[in-house]
PDB file of all heavy atoms in Angstrom:
ATOM      1  N   GLN A  97      15.613   5.926  16.838  1.00  0.00           N
ATOM      2  CA  GLN A  97      14.448   5.260  16.259  1.00  0.00           C
ATOM      3  C   GLN A  97      13.591   6.173  15.397  1.00  0.00           C
ATOM      4  O   GLN A  97      12.701   5.700  14.678  1.00  0.00           O
ATOM      5  CB  GLN A  97      13.631   4.634  17.393  1.00  0.00           C
ATOM      6  CG  GLN A  97      14.333   3.435  18.006  1.00  0.00           C
ATOM      7  CD  GLN A  97      13.785   3.091  19.357  1.00  0.00           C
ATOM      8  OE1 GLN A  97      13.346   3.942  20.119  1.00  0.00           O
ATOM      9  NE2 GLN A  97      13.816   1.818  19.699  1.00  0.00           N
ATOM     10  N   ARG A  98      13.840   7.468  15.437  1.00  0.00           N
ATOM     11  CA  ARG A  98      13.150   8.382  14.549  1.00  0.00           C
ATOM     12  C   ARG A  98      13.862   8.507  13.208  1.00  0.00           C
ATOM     13  O   ARG A  98      13.391   9.229  12.311  1.00  0.00           O
ATOM     14  CB  ARG A  98      13.017   9.772  15.181  1.00  0.00           C
ATOM     15  CG  ARG A  98      12.078   9.818  16.376  1.00  0.00           C
ATOM     16  CD  ARG A  98      11.852  11.243  16.829  1.00  0.00           C
ATOM     17  NE  ARG A  98      10.959  11.270  17.988  1.00  0.00           N
ATOM     18  CZ  ARG A  98       9.635  11.206  17.915  1.00  0.00           C
ATOM     19  NH1 ARG A  98       9.035  11.160  16.756  1.00  0.00           N
ATOM     20  NH2 ARG A  98       8.910  11.209  19.019  1.00  0.00           N
ATOM     21  N   CYS A  99      14.961   7.808  13.064  1.00  0.00           N
ATOM     22  CA  CYS A  99      15.810   7.991  11.876  1.00  0.00           C
ATOM     23  C   CYS A  99      15.953   6.709  11.088  1.00  0.00           C
ATOM     24  O   CYS A  99      15.571   5.633  11.533  1.00  0.00           O
ATOM     25  CB  CYS A  99      17.192   8.482  12.315  1.00  0.00           C
ATOM     26  SG  CYS A  99      17.152   9.898  13.414  1.00  0.00           S
ATOM     27  N   HIS A 100      16.537   6.853   9.902  1.00  0.00           N
ATOM     28  CA  HIS A 100      16.878   5.694   9.080  1.00  0.00           C
ATOM     29  C   HIS A 100      15.652   4.766   8.911  1.00  0.00           C
ATOM     30  O   HIS A 100      14.540   5.226   8.760  1.00  0.00           O
ATOM     31  CB  HIS A 100      18.099   4.988   9.651  1.00  0.00           C
ATOM     32  CG  HIS A 100      19.222   5.967   9.917  1.00  0.00           C
ATOM     33  ND1 HIS A 100      19.788   6.702   8.921  1.00  0.00           N
ATOM     34  CD2 HIS A 100      19.832   6.320  11.073  1.00  0.00           C
ATOM     35  CE1 HIS A 100      20.737   7.489   9.431  1.00  0.00           C
ATOM     36  NE2 HIS A 100      20.763   7.280  10.728  1.00  0.00           N
ATOM     37  N   TYR A 101      15.811   3.472   8.994  1.00  0.00           N
ATOM     38  CA  TYR A 101      14.721   2.564   8.640  1.00  0.00           C
ATOM     39  C   TYR A 101      13.507   2.681   9.546  1.00  0.00           C
ATOM     40  O   TYR A 101      12.354   2.620   9.087  1.00  0.00           O
ATOM     41  CB  TYR A 101      15.243   1.119   8.663  1.00  0.00           C
ATOM     42  CG  TYR A 101      14.202   0.113   8.202  1.00  0.00           C
ATOM     43  CD1 TYR A 101      13.990  -0.136   6.847  1.00  0.00           C
ATOM     44  CD2 TYR A 101      13.395  -0.563   9.121  1.00  0.00           C
ATOM     45  CE1 TYR A 101      13.019  -1.032   6.418  1.00  0.00           C
ATOM     46  CE2 TYR A 101      12.442  -1.454   8.715  1.00  0.00           C
ATOM     47  CZ  TYR A 101      12.250  -1.695   7.364  1.00  0.00           C
ATOM     48  OH  TYR A 101      11.294  -2.587   6.956  1.00  0.00           O
ATOM     49  N   THR A 102      13.722   2.857  10.841  1.00  0.00           N
ATOM     50  CA  THR A 102      12.610   2.782  11.783  1.00  0.00           C
ATOM     51  C   THR A 102      11.718   4.025  11.804  1.00  0.00           C
ATOM     52  O   THR A 102      10.696   4.025  12.492  1.00  0.00           O
ATOM     53  CB  THR A 102      13.117   2.509  13.212  1.00  0.00           C
ATOM     54  OG1 THR A 102      14.199   3.387  13.508  1.00  0.00           O
ATOM     55  CG2 THR A 102      13.629   1.082  13.320  1.00  0.00           C
ATOM     56  N   PHE A 103      12.051   5.054  11.049  1.00  0.00           N
ATOM     57  CA  PHE A 103      11.150   6.204  10.943  1.00  0.00           C
ATOM     58  C   PHE A 103       9.785   5.740  10.458  1.00  0.00           C
ATOM     59  O   PHE A 103       8.743   6.350  10.747  1.00  0.00           O
ATOM     60  CB  PHE A 103      11.699   7.264  10.000  1.00  0.00           C
ATOM     61  CG  PHE A 103      11.590   6.886   8.536  1.00  0.00           C
ATOM     62  CD1 PHE A 103      10.429   7.129   7.819  1.00  0.00           C
ATOM     63  CD2 PHE A 103      12.663   6.310   7.866  1.00  0.00           C
ATOM     64  CE1 PHE A 103      10.318   6.768   6.491  1.00  0.00           C
ATOM     65  CE2 PHE A 103      12.561   5.966   6.537  1.00  0.00           C
ATOM     66  CZ  PHE A 103      11.383   6.196   5.842  1.00  0.00           C
ATOM     67  N   ARG A 104       9.750   4.651   9.667  1.00  0.00           N
ATOM     68  CA  ARG A 104       8.495   4.248   9.025  1.00  0.00           C
ATOM     69  C   ARG A 104       7.480   3.668  10.009  1.00  0.00           C
ATOM     70  O   ARG A 104       6.334   3.415   9.633  1.00  0.00           O
ATOM     71  CB  ARG A 104       8.782   3.236   7.911  1.00  0.00           C
ATOM     72  CG  ARG A 104       9.242   1.887   8.343  1.00  0.00           C
ATOM     73  CD  ARG A 104       9.474   0.995   7.125  1.00  0.00           C
ATOM     74  NE  ARG A 104      10.567   1.465   6.275  1.00  0.00           N
ATOM     75  CZ  ARG A 104      10.411   2.103   5.117  1.00  0.00           C
ATOM     76  NH1 ARG A 104       9.202   2.370   4.678  1.00  0.00           N
ATOM     77  NH2 ARG A 104      11.438   2.497   4.420  1.00  0.00           N
ATOM     78  N   PHE A 105       7.870   3.472  11.270  1.00  0.00           N
ATOM     79  CA  PHE A 105       6.914   2.955  12.252  1.00  0.00           C
ATOM     80  C   PHE A 105       6.385   4.065  13.168  1.00  0.00           C
ATOM     81  O   PHE A 105       5.805   3.790  14.222  1.00  0.00           O
ATOM     82  CB  PHE A 105       7.576   1.848  13.076  1.00  0.00           C
ATOM     83  CG  PHE A 105       8.033   0.707  12.222  1.00  0.00           C
ATOM     84  CD1 PHE A 105       9.376   0.392  12.107  1.00  0.00           C
ATOM     85  CD2 PHE A 105       7.119  -0.045  11.494  1.00  0.00           C
ATOM     86  CE1 PHE A 105       9.807  -0.643  11.316  1.00  0.00           C
ATOM     87  CE2 PHE A 105       7.542  -1.073  10.681  1.00  0.00           C
ATOM     88  CZ  PHE A 105       8.893  -1.399  10.587  1.00  0.00           C
ATOM     89  N   ILE A 106       6.564   5.320  12.756  1.00  0.00           N
ATOM     90  CA  ILE A 106       6.055   6.480  13.480  1.00  0.00           C
ATOM     91  C   ILE A 106       5.169   7.280  12.548  1.00  0.00           C
ATOM     92  O   ILE A 106       5.608   7.684  11.471  1.00  0.00           O
ATOM     93  CB  ILE A 106       7.211   7.340  14.016  1.00  0.00           C
ATOM     94  CG1 ILE A 106       8.102   6.499  14.938  1.00  0.00           C
ATOM     95  CG2 ILE A 106       6.684   8.571  14.745  1.00  0.00           C
ATOM     96  CD1 ILE A 106       9.374   7.211  15.366  1.00  0.00           C
ATOM     97  N   ARG A 107       3.923   7.517  12.905  1.00  0.00           N
ATOM     98  CA  ARG A 107       2.949   8.079  11.980  1.00  0.00           C
ATOM     99  C   ARG A 107       3.288   9.499  11.544  1.00  0.00           C
ATOM    100  O   ARG A 107       2.767   9.955  10.515  1.00  0.00           O
ATOM    101  CB  ARG A 107       1.526   8.031  12.581  1.00  0.00           C
ATOM    102  CG  ARG A 107       0.972   6.604  12.655  1.00  0.00           C
ATOM    103  CD  ARG A 107      -0.569   6.617  12.653  1.00  0.00           C
ATOM    104  NE  ARG A 107      -1.124   7.376  13.762  1.00  0.00           N
ATOM    105  CZ  ARG A 107      -1.437   6.853  14.924  1.00  0.00           C
ATOM    106  NH1 ARG A 107      -1.217   5.562  15.167  1.00  0.00           N
ATOM    107  NH2 ARG A 107      -1.961   7.589  15.864  1.00  0.00           N
ATOM    108  N   ASP A 108       4.093  10.219  12.286  1.00  0.00           N
ATOM    109  CA  ASP A 108       4.491  11.547  11.844  1.00  0.00           C
ATOM    110  C   ASP A 108       5.298  11.481  10.540  1.00  0.00           C
ATOM    111  O   ASP A 108       5.368  12.474   9.813  1.00  0.00           O
ATOM    112  CB  ASP A 108       5.376  12.236  12.907  1.00  0.00           C
ATOM    113  CG  ASP A 108       4.579  12.721  14.103  1.00  0.00           C
ATOM    114  OD1 ASP A 108       3.330  12.858  13.974  1.00  0.00           O
ATOM    115  OD2 ASP A 108       5.170  12.932  15.169  1.00  0.00           O
ATOM    116  N   TYR A 109       5.905  10.320  10.279  1.00  0.00           N
ATOM    117  CA  TYR A 109       6.813  10.211   9.152  1.00  0.00           C
ATOM    118  C   TYR A 109       6.377   9.188   8.114  1.00  0.00           C
ATOM    119  O   TYR A 109       6.799   9.259   6.950  1.00  0.00           O
ATOM    120  CB  TYR A 109       8.218   9.823   9.632  1.00  0.00           C
ATOM    121  CG  TYR A 109       8.653  10.539  10.881  1.00  0.00           C
ATOM    122  CD1 TYR A 109       9.054   9.830  12.007  1.00  0.00           C
ATOM    123  CD2 TYR A 109       8.654  11.931  10.930  1.00  0.00           C
ATOM    124  CE1 TYR A 109       9.450  10.490  13.165  1.00  0.00           C
ATOM    125  CE2 TYR A 109       9.044  12.608  12.075  1.00  0.00           C
ATOM    126  CZ  TYR A 109       9.439  11.870  13.202  1.00  0.00           C
ATOM    127  OH  TYR A 109       9.820  12.525  14.336  1.00  0.00           O
ATOM    128  N   SER A 110       5.549   8.218   8.482  1.00  0.00           N
ATOM    129  CA  SER A 110       5.225   7.138   7.549  1.00  0.00           C
ATOM    130  C   SER A 110       3.971   6.394   8.024  1.00  0.00           C
ATOM    131  O   SER A 110       3.391   6.751   9.038  1.00  0.00           O
ATOM    132  CB  SER A 110       6.412   6.168   7.444  1.00  0.00           C
ATOM    133  OG  SER A 110       6.201   5.210   6.457  1.00  0.00           O
ATOM    134  N   GLY A 111       3.593   5.347   7.293  1.00  0.00           N
ATOM    135  CA  GLY A 111       2.394   4.594   7.618  1.00  0.00           C
ATOM    136  C   GLY A 111       2.652   3.148   7.950  1.00  0.00           C
ATOM    137  O   GLY A 111       1.758   2.318   7.828  1.00  0.00           O
ATOM    138  N   GLY A 112       3.882   2.828   8.358  1.00  0.00           N
ATOM    139  CA  GLY A 112       4.200   1.457   8.730  1.00  0.00           C
ATOM    140  C   GLY A 112       4.252   0.540   7.514  1.00  0.00           C
ATOM    141  O   GLY A 112       4.467   0.954   6.391  1.00  0.00           O
ATOM    142  N   GLN A 113       4.051  -0.759   7.758  1.00  0.00           N
ATOM    143  CA  GLN A 113       4.123  -1.724   6.668  1.00  0.00           C
ATOM    144  C   GLN A 113       2.977  -1.574   5.665  1.00  0.00           C
ATOM    145  O   GLN A 113       3.098  -2.027   4.526  1.00  0.00           O
ATOM    146  CB  GLN A 113       4.122  -3.153   7.222  1.00  0.00           C
ATOM    147  CG  GLN A 113       5.315  -3.484   8.111  1.00  0.00           C
ATOM    148  CD  GLN A 113       6.632  -3.517   7.350  1.00  0.00           C
ATOM    149  OE1 GLN A 113       6.915  -2.677   6.498  1.00  0.00           O
ATOM    150  NE2 GLN A 113       7.450  -4.539   7.647  1.00  0.00           N
ATOM    151  N   THR A 114       1.890  -0.920   6.056  1.00  0.00           N
ATOM    152  CA  THR A 114       0.793  -0.712   5.125  1.00  0.00           C
ATOM    153  C   THR A 114       1.229   0.129   3.935  1.00  0.00           C
ATOM    154  O   THR A 114       0.878  -0.131   2.793  1.00  0.00           O
ATOM    155  CB  THR A 114      -0.399  -0.025   5.808  1.00  0.00           C
ATOM    156  OG1 THR A 114      -0.756  -0.777   6.980  1.00  0.00           O
ATOM    157  CG2 THR A 114      -1.613   0.061   4.888  1.00  0.00           C
ATOM    158  N   THR A 115       2.031   1.164   4.189  1.00  0.00           N
ATOM    159  CA  THR A 115       2.533   1.992   3.098  1.00  0.00           C
ATOM    160  C   THR A 115       3.904   1.542   2.613  1.00  0.00           C
ATOM    161  O   THR A 115       4.301   1.890   1.513  1.00  0.00           O
ATOM    162  CB  THR A 115       2.595   3.467   3.514  1.00  0.00           C
ATOM    163  OG1 THR A 115       3.371   3.596   4.717  1.00  0.00           O
ATOM    164  CG2 THR A 115       1.211   4.019   3.755  1.00  0.00           C
ATOM    165  N   ASN A 116       4.618   0.767   3.421  1.00  0.00           N
ATOM    166  CA  ASN A 116       5.935   0.259   3.002  1.00  0.00           C
ATOM    167  C   ASN A 116       5.749  -0.878   2.011  1.00  0.00           C
ATOM    168  O   ASN A 116       5.954  -0.734   0.812  1.00  0.00           O
ATOM    169  CB  ASN A 116       6.714  -0.186   4.233  1.00  0.00           C
ATOM    170  CG  ASN A 116       8.091  -0.692   3.880  1.00  0.00           C
ATOM    171  OD1 ASN A 116       8.695  -0.274   2.889  1.00  0.00           O
ATOM    172  ND2 ASN A 116       8.627  -1.611   4.674  1.00  0.00           N
ATOM    173  N   TRP A 117       5.325  -2.047   2.479  1.00  0.00           N
ATOM    174  CA  TRP A 117       5.087  -3.194   1.603  1.00  0.00           C
ATOM    175  C   TRP A 117       3.751  -3.070   0.850  1.00  0.00           C
ATOM    176  O   TRP A 117       3.614  -3.562  -0.267  1.00  0.00           O
ATOM    177  CB  TRP A 117       5.116  -4.481   2.399  1.00  0.00           C
ATOM    178  CG  TRP A 117       6.525  -4.935   2.664  1.00  0.00           C
ATOM    179  CD1 TRP A 117       7.212  -4.811   3.832  1.00  0.00           C
ATOM    180  CD2 TRP A 117       7.419  -5.545   1.733  1.00  0.00           C
ATOM    181  NE1 TRP A 117       8.481  -5.317   3.678  1.00  0.00           N
ATOM    182  CE2 TRP A 117       8.625  -5.780   2.410  1.00  0.00           C
ATOM    183  CE3 TRP A 117       7.311  -5.929   0.390  1.00  0.00           C
ATOM    184  CZ2 TRP A 117       9.720  -6.375   1.800  1.00  0.00           C
ATOM    185  CZ3 TRP A 117       8.396  -6.513  -0.235  1.00  0.00           C
ATOM    186  CH2 TRP A 117       9.599  -6.721   0.466  1.00  0.00           C
ATOM    187  N   GLY A 118       2.805  -2.391   1.444  1.00  0.00           N
ATOM    188  CA  GLY A 118       1.521  -2.223   0.747  1.00  0.00           C
ATOM    189  C   GLY A 118       1.672  -1.463  -0.555  1.00  0.00           C
ATOM    190  O   GLY A 118       0.980  -1.747  -1.543  1.00  0.00           O
ATOM    191  N   ALA A 119       2.579  -0.486  -0.584  1.00  0.00           N
ATOM    192  CA  ALA A 119       2.830   0.256  -1.824  1.00  0.00           C
ATOM    193  C   ALA A 119       3.289  -0.670  -2.932  1.00  0.00           C
ATOM    194  O   ALA A 119       3.087  -0.374  -4.112  1.00  0.00           O
ATOM    195  CB  ALA A 119       3.863   1.343  -1.578  1.00  0.00           C
ATOM    196  N   HIS A 120       3.916  -1.790  -2.597  1.00  0.00           N
ATOM    197  CA  HIS A 120       4.336  -2.761  -3.599  1.00  0.00           C
ATOM    198  C   HIS A 120       3.198  -3.692  -4.013  1.00  0.00           C
ATOM    199  O   HIS A 120       2.847  -3.799  -5.204  1.00  0.00           O
ATOM    200  CB  HIS A 120       5.514  -3.593  -3.066  1.00  0.00           C
ATOM    201  CG  HIS A 120       6.812  -2.847  -3.013  1.00  0.00           C
ATOM    202  ND1 HIS A 120       7.389  -2.303  -4.127  1.00  0.00           N
ATOM    203  CD2 HIS A 120       7.642  -2.594  -1.971  1.00  0.00           C
ATOM    204  CE1 HIS A 120       8.535  -1.720  -3.784  1.00  0.00           C
ATOM    205  NE2 HIS A 120       8.706  -1.881  -2.477  1.00  0.00           N
ATOM    206  N   TYR A 121       2.638  -4.393  -3.036  1.00  0.00           N
ATOM    207  CA  TYR A 121       1.704  -5.464  -3.393  1.00  0.00           C
ATOM    208  C   TYR A 121       0.308  -4.968  -3.723  1.00  0.00           C
ATOM    209  O   TYR A 121      -0.405  -5.590  -4.513  1.00  0.00           O
ATOM    210  CB  TYR A 121       1.692  -6.540  -2.300  1.00  0.00           C
ATOM    211  CG  TYR A 121       2.941  -7.355  -2.347  1.00  0.00           C
ATOM    212  CD1 TYR A 121       3.919  -7.265  -1.374  1.00  0.00           C
ATOM    213  CD2 TYR A 121       3.161  -8.233  -3.410  1.00  0.00           C
ATOM    214  CE1 TYR A 121       5.099  -8.021  -1.444  1.00  0.00           C
ATOM    215  CE2 TYR A 121       4.316  -8.979  -3.505  1.00  0.00           C
ATOM    216  CZ  TYR A 121       5.279  -8.870  -2.517  1.00  0.00           C
ATOM    217  OH  TYR A 121       6.437  -9.604  -2.606  1.00  0.00           O
ATOM    218  N   LEU A 122      -0.115  -3.851  -3.163  1.00  0.00           N
ATOM    219  CA  LEU A 122      -1.364  -3.234  -3.605  1.00  0.00           C
ATOM    220  C   LEU A 122      -1.197  -2.665  -5.015  1.00  0.00           C
ATOM    221  O   LEU A 122      -2.145  -2.665  -5.809  1.00  0.00           O
ATOM    222  CB  LEU A 122      -1.814  -2.163  -2.623  1.00  0.00           C
ATOM    223  CG  LEU A 122      -2.291  -2.671  -1.254  1.00  0.00           C
ATOM    224  CD1 LEU A 122      -2.428  -1.510  -0.273  1.00  0.00           C
ATOM    225  CD2 LEU A 122      -3.597  -3.430  -1.387  1.00  0.00           C
ATOM    226  N   ASP A 123      -0.007  -2.212  -5.324  1.00  0.00           N
ATOM    227  CA  ASP A 123       0.277  -1.707  -6.668  1.00  0.00           C
ATOM    228  C   ASP A 123       0.147  -2.825  -7.702  1.00  0.00           C
ATOM    229  O   ASP A 123      -0.380  -2.635  -8.799  1.00  0.00           O
ATOM    230  CB  ASP A 123       1.663  -1.104  -6.727  1.00  0.00           C
ATOM    231  CG  ASP A 123       2.072  -0.695  -8.135  1.00  0.00           C
ATOM    232  OD1 ASP A 123       1.368   0.139  -8.730  1.00  0.00           O
ATOM    233  OD2 ASP A 123       3.067  -1.230  -8.671  1.00  0.00           O
ATOM    234  N   ILE A 124       0.639  -4.031  -7.356  1.00  0.00           N
ATOM    235  CA  ILE A 124       0.513  -5.163  -8.273  1.00  0.00           C
ATOM    236  C   ILE A 124      -0.950  -5.517  -8.479  1.00  0.00           C
ATOM    237  O   ILE A 124      -1.376  -5.872  -9.601  1.00  0.00           O
ATOM    238  CB  ILE A 124       1.300  -6.358  -7.757  1.00  0.00           C
ATOM    239  CG1 ILE A 124       2.810  -6.034  -7.683  1.00  0.00           C
ATOM    240  CG2 ILE A 124       1.061  -7.598  -8.618  1.00  0.00           C
ATOM    241  CD1 ILE A 124       3.393  -5.554  -9.015  1.00  0.00           C
ATOM    242  N   ALA A 125      -1.763  -5.399  -7.430  1.00  0.00           N
ATOM    243  CA  ALA A 125      -3.189  -5.608  -7.569  1.00  0.00           C
ATOM    244  C   ALA A 125      -3.805  -4.594  -8.561  1.00  0.00           C
ATOM    245  O   ALA A 125      -4.581  -4.962  -9.455  1.00  0.00           O
ATOM    246  CB  ALA A 125      -3.899  -5.525  -6.226  1.00  0.00           C
ATOM    247  N   GLN A 126      -3.433  -3.340  -8.403  1.00  0.00           N
ATOM    248  CA  GLN A 126      -3.918  -2.301  -9.316  1.00  0.00           C
ATOM    249  C   GLN A 126      -3.508  -2.620 -10.763  1.00  0.00           C
ATOM    250  O   GLN A 126      -4.283  -2.470 -11.700  1.00  0.00           O
ATOM    251  CB  GLN A 126      -3.320  -0.946  -8.927  1.00  0.00           C
ATOM    252  CG  GLN A 126      -3.947  -0.323  -7.677  1.00  0.00           C
ATOM    253  CD  GLN A 126      -5.297   0.290  -7.973  1.00  0.00           C
ATOM    254  OE1 GLN A 126      -6.318  -0.199  -7.492  1.00  0.00           O
ATOM    255  NE2 GLN A 126      -5.340   1.347  -8.785  1.00  0.00           N
ATOM    256  N   TRP A 127      -2.274  -3.061 -10.927  1.00  0.00           N
ATOM    257  CA  TRP A 127      -1.748  -3.360 -12.260  1.00  0.00           C
ATOM    258  C   TRP A 127      -2.500  -4.520 -12.892  1.00  0.00           C
ATOM    259  O   TRP A 127      -2.936  -4.469 -14.041  1.00  0.00           O
ATOM    260  CB  TRP A 127      -0.256  -3.685 -12.121  1.00  0.00           C
ATOM    261  CG  TRP A 127       0.532  -3.650 -13.402  1.00  0.00           C
ATOM    262  CD1 TRP A 127       0.144  -3.086 -14.589  1.00  0.00           C
ATOM    263  CD2 TRP A 127       1.841  -4.186 -13.605  1.00  0.00           C
ATOM    264  NE1 TRP A 127       1.134  -3.241 -15.517  1.00  0.00           N
ATOM    265  CE2 TRP A 127       2.175  -3.905 -14.949  1.00  0.00           C
ATOM    266  CE3 TRP A 127       2.728  -4.872 -12.796  1.00  0.00           C
ATOM    267  CZ2 TRP A 127       3.409  -4.294 -15.493  1.00  0.00           C
ATOM    268  CZ3 TRP A 127       3.960  -5.242 -13.334  1.00  0.00           C
ATOM    269  CH2 TRP A 127       4.295  -4.957 -14.666  1.00  0.00           C
TER     270      TRP A 127
END
């Protein structure tokens, strides 16, 4: 669970869906 896709749900490696999908849809808001 520390590897591959699920690394993104551990704060040592990622910010969860906020930085996963948020990087997409917040970016469209910025645009």
Side-chain angles (χ1 to χ4, degrees):
Q97 289 161 328
R98 291 188 181 277
C99 309
H100 309 300
Y101 184 83
T102 48
F103 75 84
R104 70 180 65 257
F105 301 115
I106 301 172
R107 289 205 301 269
D108 286 340
Y109 318 124
S110 187
Q113 297 293 43
T114 307
T115 54
N116 181 29
W117 281 102
H120 286 301
Y121 286 109
L122 290 169
D123 174 59
I124 297 305
Q126 285 284 112
W127 196 16

